Each structure stands twice: as C-alpha cells, then as structure tokens.
Amino acid sequence: MLNTYGGGIVRSVAWWGWALIVLALIGVAALRAALDDASGAPVLCGIVLIAPLIIVGFTSGIRHDTEKVTPVRHEVTLRPGGVIDARKYDIIEQRGAIYVIEEREVAQ
C-alpha cells in the first residue's frame, strides 16, 4: 500500500450561514462605498452587517457536520500474479502500475 486518503466527515454550510455570508458581502459593499464618500452612517451600517459573520465564523457556527463520510481510497501496487478482491474493493483509477481502489459499501 502506497497511500491512503479519505474517510473524513463531510462538512456543509448551514442555510443561515449562507444568509450571513450574503449580509457580510452587502456590508463589505456598504463599507467600501462609505469609505469612498467618507460618511459615517454607511460605515456603521457596513460594520453592523459584517460583525455577525465574523463572530459566528470564529465560533465555527456556519458549518456543520453531515452524516456523510468521504470514501476511503488506497493507492496500491500489485506483485506479479496478485489480484484485487473485487467483492471488497472497486478500482477507481489506474496510473501505470499503481491502482487506486476504494472500499465498497457493506450491504446490510
């Protein structure tokens, strides 16, 4: 076995996380426009819109774990006459003498 990767938990952005990101982008636009005009109220508005994203982003509240796990893949080479167990692994890719195999789902 040359290398193994995968098996990590898939993380996703929650719906309200996307809403906070949109509000932050609006805040950045307002802040940029306010700095060009040098007026105070839009600067405050921009900061108020950006602050929740910064606070929630640093506390990792935007992303959440899903039930999905990335598949475990192995890079292997075979000795002459060697075979891959087709009941346990799927061949994903072949690069010369290196095979990338993935564990099959266990049927229950």
Side-chain angles (χ1 to χ4, degrees), residues 2-3 5 74-77 91 93-100:
L2 301 174
N3 193 11
Y5 52 94
H74 308 282
E75 292 179 348
V76 297
T77 57
I91 298 174
E93 181 182 357
Q94 180 182 359
R95 297 186 305 258
I98 299 173
Y99 291 88
V100 178

Side-chain angles (χ1 to χ4, degrees), residues 14-60:
W15 67 268
W16 48 269
W18 289 111
L20 283 176
I21 290 171
V22 169
L23 284 176
L25 291 175
I26 293 170
V28 168
L31 192 59
R32 181 172 166 85
L35 292 176
D36 290 342
D37 294 339
S39 58
V43 171
L44 181 62
C45 178
I47 292 172
V48 167
L49 289 172
I50 295 170
L53 179 69
I54 293 171
I55 293 168
V56 174
F58 280 122
T59 59
S60 299

